[in-house]
Each structure stands twice: as C-alpha cells, then as structure tokens.
Amino acid sequence: MAQSTQALDRTIVVVDVEGFTSPDRNPLDRLAVRQGMYEVLKTAFGESGVDFDSCAAEDRGDGALILLPPGTTKSLVVDRLPDRMSVALLRHNHTRTPQAQIRLRVSLNSGEVLNDGNGWVGEAVDTAFRILDAQLAKDAFARSGGMIAFISSKRFFDDVIASDPGLLPELYRPIPVSVKTFTGTAYLRLHGELVEPVPKLRAFEPEPSVGRLPVDPNGDVLDLIPRKDLVDLHRRLTQMDVPHLAVMMSRALGPAIPVPRLDGVTDAWSAFRLLADFNAGPDGIPPSVTFLRLLAEHVGGEVGAMILSWIDGQARSLRIVPALGHQRQSRPPIPENPHLHLLIMLEPVSADPTRCTLAFWRQDDPEVWPPALAGVREIAIDRVEFEVDDVILETERVWSGQSVSASVEFLLPRALITLPVQRWSKEHGTGRPQPLRYGYRLGIRSLERMRAKHWHREWRVRWDSMAKDPSPDRLHYSGGAESGDHPIDAILSDEHWVGVVLAKPPSPQAEPDAAPDELTSALRSGLPVILWHPDAEPESLRELLDWVLGTKHGLRELPHRRKLANSGAAVPVKKSLAHDLVVIWDDPERVIVLDQPLIPTRP
C-alpha cells in the first residue's frame, strides 16, 4: 500500500493547452504541441529563476500539474512567469503551423499538499484544477485571441498579488466559478493579447506591411510610450537609414534569439516596431529599448539626445537603471568593418547512409559567438547542395540590410570531409547558379575536433601561436624529402608548425592498422590550418600557396587570399587549381557546443 508523505505548503501551477483535442489537430500535431508545451515551460521557468527539473510535475496529457520547490517565493510566478512564458510561446508559435501552435490556461494557487505514492493530492490541488475549468475564463480567453490566461485562486490573489502593487493586481478581474462541487471566486488576467493599434495613433502608422504593434493591458510598447514621445520617435526614426541595422537588432535580441526575417524592415522605425513584439530577457531590458540605446549612440546629436532622454525615463519607471548601466559597459561597440559567419553542419544519419542531418548557425552580430541554432533538418545526401542553397538564401534574406563581408563554413565529419563544397553553387532556382566561392570566404571545419574537448587545449596553443607569427614557413608539406623516416605525428608535435599541406586528400575513414594518419595527426596536434588539393601536382600546389601566402600577414590572410584567387586576380597557376584548393581553417574561438542531440523539425 502506498504511503503518504507529510503535508507541505507548496505553490501550485496547473497548465492546460486550449483546444488540445480539436479535430483540426492530428496525432502528430498533438505530439508537437505536447513537446512544445514542455519546451515553453522549461524555458519560462528557467528564465524566471526556477529549474523546472527541480519542480514536482505530473503530466496530464493536455497539460501538467507543477509544484514549485519548497521555499520558493510565491510572488515569483506572478512577477516573472507571465512575461517569460509569453515570449517563449511567441517564439514557439512563430515557427509552427496553426495546428501545432499553443495557447495556455494557467491556474495559480498555494496550500498544503501531500503525495500518497500515486500522485499529489489536497484541497489546494483540487481548487487549482476547478478554477482552471471556469467557464467564464474559457469564454473570455477564446474571445481575446491572446496566448495565455492566468487564473488565480482567491486565496493566492489575496495573500500574494493584491498585497504588492508591483505584481499589477489591477490587471486581474474577479470571476465567479462553479465547477463540480466547487463554488467561489477566482481572478483572471489575459496576457499576450495582440490587437490592432489604438485609433488615435493610426495617423502615425507607417506602411501596413511592417506589421502590428502589440497593445495589451500588460504594458507593451504603446502603453510605455507617452503619445508625444511616440509621435517624436515615429517622426525621427521613419526613413532613418542605419548602417548595420540587422547587427543592432541582433544585439538587442541577444544571442539566444536569431534575428527574424526582415521583410518590410526598411528603417529604424520598422525595426523598433518589430522588436516591440519581443519581451524582455533575464536582465529585464526590453529589446526595443536596447535597440533605441544603440541607435542613439550611433546617430548622436539632437536625435540621439532625445532618444537617450526617453530611455532614462523608462529605465527609472521600469527599475532597470542598473541593468542598463551594466549593458552599456559589457557590450562591445559594433565594429566598423564587421564580418559574419554562417556555419553549416552535415552529419550522416547512422540508421540510413543515404540521408544526413543538416544544422546551421547564423551569426547576426559579429561580436557574438556562439549564435543561436537557426535550424535543423534531415535531408537526402544527393540533395545536400540544393538544401545548402536554401539555407544560404534564407540567411541572405536576414542579412539583406547589411553591408558586410561573410564566410560560409562547413562543419564536416571525417566521412564527409571530401565533399566538394568548393565547387558548389547557390541560386539553382534561377537556372544560372553562381559558385559559392565568388561571394564568400569558404572553409571547412572538423566536426571530430569540435566534439573532442581533449584536443582543444593544444588547438588553442597553435592558434595563438599563429596569430603572433603567421609566417608561411610554419606550413609543413607532408611527403617531402625533409620528412625523412619520421612519422607524421612526431613531426607535427613540433610547435613550430601551425598548418600542414596533406600529400593527398584524406580518406573518408582512417585505416586503423596503417601508418599514422595525416589528418588525424594534424587534428590531434592542434594545427588550425590543413590544406589539400584533389589532383594538383606538388610543384603547382607550392606555386599556388606561395602566391596565396605571399603577403606580410602570411597565414592570417589565407581565407581572404584564397577567395581572391578565385576571382579575376592573376595567379601563377591554372584557375582550376585555385578553385579546387581545400582549406580547413579552424578557429578555436568559434566553437559550437554539441553536447545535445539535434532534432530535425517537422516540415
């Protein structure tokens, strides 16, 4: 027989997905909704300062019962959770089909509960479920079009919410509840509602294609900005051309959120409006405020002073003055000549050798690494070049507002290391594809080394050494007479070497019983530069590399000079030799953490 535990006072959160069993949803949709609900909960609780895994949680199919850890401050779920849950839902729904999007009803209560060995029970738990099913709450939520309805018990409202003006008790309205044997009062707050701009501001709205400003009773951008200030901002920001606008937006959103597609974002005002859809991060600073601060610092003068004055007033009212001060000191300035990276990982699917996983990380801010994972998909290997084309075009749509140079790097395992990426093209759909090597600095990175942390120390040593002395004579040519009878791993252990030219292209798999493998030895020894050519004669390859590295910056110029060799520049060998040169340029300062499985999203 199950034994009861001692009754404990706990804060109770019950979550229910609105319309979970709707006939519009098929079984795969419901599975995606359940997975999405838990992702949203874990993110929102984590950003609110509560480890979701430390909570006691019971799955209820279309929802969950969650008990916060004993001793957790009750006001936390009212102070932080609504905003964090709202922005997590916004991120989820933005990338899902209508059938997989989520709206939540959330009830709040506290009181004594106990576990009888089969689950959590108690009057406080019963009350939380009863108020969640209040018909008036369901009806108001359905009419609102919002993302979340918070329903507080009377006890929780009186003890926690009503006593603290900072918890915005005026946003909750009492509703009668009569569900089963429960009759009483609950308090309803609709959160995350999106409606049209208020009529008095229509005269100041720009083109309809830009989108809608969110207006809800919880304090979004129009409620925060006095009418006069909004008019001034609109007048000053409309048609303001801002260099590196997407970089500013990326910095405002933070590294965890990829910059959304910027269709219709043509000036500072439309960027500000788009950012108004995103709630504040853990520091409490709304991205729209961060963007205005960056903009003010950039434009200076009267306009910059006006924006900074408004920000100072908002910082005091939002109690984020210290956070803004820390932000100013901790974030580096946007560089004058920024350079961005698109990192594309390809890895075979172990269960099906004809398919592979494609994941990509798009750097939207040149000073932020690592960027957020921008997408994962499973593809057929014979379609990989065309799928890469799609990723690059998607990236270019986000980068379209920037005047920056860019690199495309392929993070490849040994099995795919000889994919001819240097010969790939983009814009196949036009019928006249263009080689990638014309528009980007192309490079390959080693997936094995990225994952093998026990190789990283030596990798950093060699990289730092190359930064101090990039002389071309630090490039070792394998297979030469000077190597003698020494094994390659012994030769490369000399810290003089920071790069190696392989005698031949590496095989897809190292032979376990053969002599030390050149590629494996180079990776283990930490060499950040590894080169080879599929068919060049050694003498022609040396000629090409002598030209590529023939500048005062030597190896540091390799990515740029390699791209130059693919253009109209005069090189001492046939153009085809320059085109097919393979370069592993592996920067240990730009590592992607790959300690979690990458799950492809369903199309």
Side-chain angles (χ1 to χ4, degrees):
M1 181 176 177
Q3 296 295 317
S4 299
T5 60
Q6 182 180 0
L8 297 172
D9 186 77
R10 303 288 285 269
T11 300
I12 303 165
V13 178
V14 181
V15 178
D16 181 81
V17 175
E18 193 259 353
F20 180 78
T21 58
S22 168
D24 294 339
R25 286 181 167 142
N26 61 37
L28 288 177
D29 292 328
R30 295 187 185 103
L31 178 61
V33 167
R34 279 177 48 80
Q35 292 173 339
M37 178 191 73
Y38 279 106
E39 289 173 4
V40 165
L41 291 174
K42 289 179 180 181
T43 298
F45 273 79
E47 292 180 352
S48 299
V50 178
D51 178 12
F52 185 82
D53 293 332
S54 69
C55 299
E58 291 181 6
D59 182 73
R60 296 300 174 108
D62 58 354
L65 164 66
I66 305 159
L67 305 180
L68 273 62
T72 304
T73 304
K74 290 183 173 63
S75 61
L76 181 146
V77 296
V78 189
D79 186 15
R80 302 181 188 176
L81 194 61
D83 286 339
R84 302 306 189 264
M85 193 174 290
S86 178
V87 75
L89 277 173
L90 186 65
R91 292 169 185 160
H92 171 90
N93 290 342
H94 182 69
T95 58
R96 300 303 194 278
T97 63
Q99 292 78 16
Q101 292 179 4
I102 301 172
R103 300 174 72 228
L104 295 177
R105 297 197 325 279
V106 181
S107 72
L108 308 172
N109 196 21
S110 63
E112 288 192 343
V113 298
L114 57 83
N115 193 305
D116 65 359
N118 299 307
W120 293 94
V121 296
E123 184 180 346
V125 173
D126 294 340
T127 299
F129 278 99
R130 299 296 177 260
I131 64 175
L132 188 71
D133 284 336
Q135 192 60 47
L136 281 177
K138 291 181 178 181
D139 293 344
F141 189 39
R143 291 193 303 269
S144 74
M147 289 186 293
I148 315 174
F150 283 91
I151 309 154
S152 169
S153 71
K154 186 176 187 306
R155 172 183 174 177
F156 194 84
F157 181 84
D158 291 342
D159 293 348
V160 180
I161 301 174
S163 61
D164 185 350
L167 301 181
L168 307 175
E170 66 275 11
L171 299 183
Y172 294 78
R173 61 184 178 92
I175 59 171
V177 181
S178 181
V179 178
K180 296 184 178 179
T181 59
F182 178 87
T183 301
T185 300
Y187 288 80
L188 172 66
R189 174 185 178 184
L190 300 176
H191 192 82
E193 189 173 6
L194 298 179
V195 300
E196 292 293 339
V198 291
K200 67 179 181 180
L201 292 174
R202 290 190 186 277
F204 310 115
E205 292 298 314
E207 300 81 11
S209 62
V210 174
R212 296 178 299 171
L213 275 170
V215 187
D216 70 36
N218 305 309
D220 277 302
V221 65
L222 293 185
D223 284 339
L224 290 176
I225 307 177
R227 174 184 168 83
K228 178 181 180 300
D229 290 350
L230 186 65
V231 174
D232 285 346
L233 278 174
H234 176 263
R235 178 170 58 85
R236 307 272 191 173
L237 303 187
T238 299
Q239 299 182 354
M240 179 187 287
D241 185 19
V242 183
H244 313 315
L245 182 60
V247 175
M248 284 191 186
M249 295 181 68
S250 173
R251 193 158 293 187
L253 287 167
I257 308 175
V259 172
R261 287 184 58 173
L262 302 183
D263 300 343
V265 177
T266 57
D267 55 20
W269 173 255
S270 52
F272 171 69
R273 292 190 62 192
L274 178 62
L275 291 171
D277 281 336
F278 293 86
N279 284 13
D283 60 4
I285 305 174
S288 54
V289 173
T290 299
F291 172 74
L292 289 180
R293 182 184 66 78
L294 293 169
L295 187 65
E297 293 171 355
H298 169 75
V299 300
E302 179 188 352
V303 175
M306 185 276 293
I307 297 173
L308 286 176
S309 175
W310 176 79
I311 291 174
D312 288 342
Q314 291 304 308
R316 288 190 294 272
S317 64
L318 295 173
R319 294 177 288 182
I320 57 172
V321 172
L324 270 175
H326 175 73
Q327 186 187 78
R328 289 191 185 100
Q329 296 174 1
S330 61
R331 297 196 178 183
I334 296 173
E336 291 185 8
N337 298 304
H339 185 85
L340 299 175
H341 295 81
L342 172 64
L343 182 63
I344 302 173
M345 188 196 84
L346 299 169
E347 184 172 30
V349 174
S350 57
D352 185 352
T354 67
R355 302 186 66 77
C356 70
T357 298
L358 183 157
F360 63 101
W361 293 261
R362 185 189 69 235
Q363 186 186 31
D364 296 320
D365 185 335
E367 297 299 313
V368 172
W369 194 274
L373 176 66
V376 184
R377 61 186 73 169
E378 186 180 305
I379 61 173
I381 287 211
D382 60 4
R383 289 278 308 166
V384 65
E385 181 179 353
F386 302 99
E387 296 287 345
V388 166
D389 186 6
D390 287 344
V391 168
I392 289 175
L393 294 183
E394 178 182 331
T395 296
E396 288 292 7
R397 283 190 285 269
V398 175
W399 286 351
S400 61
Q402 304 198 60
S403 174
V404 296
S405 59
S407 293
V408 174
E409 299 176 320
F410 293 89
L411 182 59
L412 302 178
R414 179 71 180 253
L416 299 178
I417 202 74
T418 56
L419 279 176
V421 298
Q422 68 276 8
R423 299 178 183 175
W424 286 358
S425 299
K426 68 173 184 176
E427 300 184 37
H428 290 84
T430 66
R432 302 185 65 183
Q434 181 188 63
L436 294 179
R437 62 178 180 266
Y438 291 168
Y440 307 97
R441 299 179 190 175
L442 287 183
I444 293 174
R445 307 193 64 184
S446 166
L447 181 56
E448 281 84 4
R449 177 152 61 186
M450 193 78 76
R451 284 183 169 143
K453 291 186 178 180
H454 53 283
W455 290 351
H456 287 198
R457 181 192 59 79
E458 186 62 27
W459 183 18
R460 291 180 180 276
V461 168
R462 300 294 179 103
W463 179 266
D464 291 345
S465 176
M466 183 178 71
K468 295 175 182 176
D469 178 9
S471 303
D473 66 2
R474 303 190 71 187
L475 193 64
H476 173 74
Y477 287 79
S478 294
E482 65 274 16
S483 299
D485 296 328
H486 300 293
I488 187 65
D489 52 352
I491 294 171
L492 298 183
S493 67
D494 184 345
E495 292 188 358
H496 171 75
W497 304 116
V498 295
V500 62
V501 181
L502 303 184
K504 59 182 179 179
S507 61
Q509 185 174 353
E511 297 295 333
D513 299 327
D517 177 72
E518 288 185 327
L519 178 59
T520 301
S521 296
L523 295 173
R524 284 177 173 172
S525 299
L527 273 62
V529 180
I530 305 172
L531 307 168
W532 69 84
H533 199 284
D535 49 27
E537 294 295 329
E539 184 176 341
S540 297
L541 183 55
R542 277 187 181 262
E543 277 189 84
L544 172 61
L545 291 177
D546 285 345
W547 181 87
V548 169
L549 302 176
T551 70
K552 65 177 181 179
H553 298 296
L555 286 163
R556 280 205 300 263
E557 287 277 286
L558 175 59
H560 170 69
R561 295 279 289 178
R562 193 257 183 178
K563 180 178 181 297
L564 189 62
N566 285 301
S567 67
V571 293
V573 295
K574 292 190 299 183
K575 285 289 185 184
S576 60
L577 290 180
H579 294 169
D580 289 337
L581 177 65
V582 180
V583 178
I584 290 183
W585 179 264
D586 224 355
D587 182 350
E589 300 300 324
R590 290 188 295 103
V591 171
I592 294 292
V593 178
L594 298 167
D595 56 359
Q596 297 291 331
L598 299 172
I599 308 299
T601 55
R602 185 167 60 89

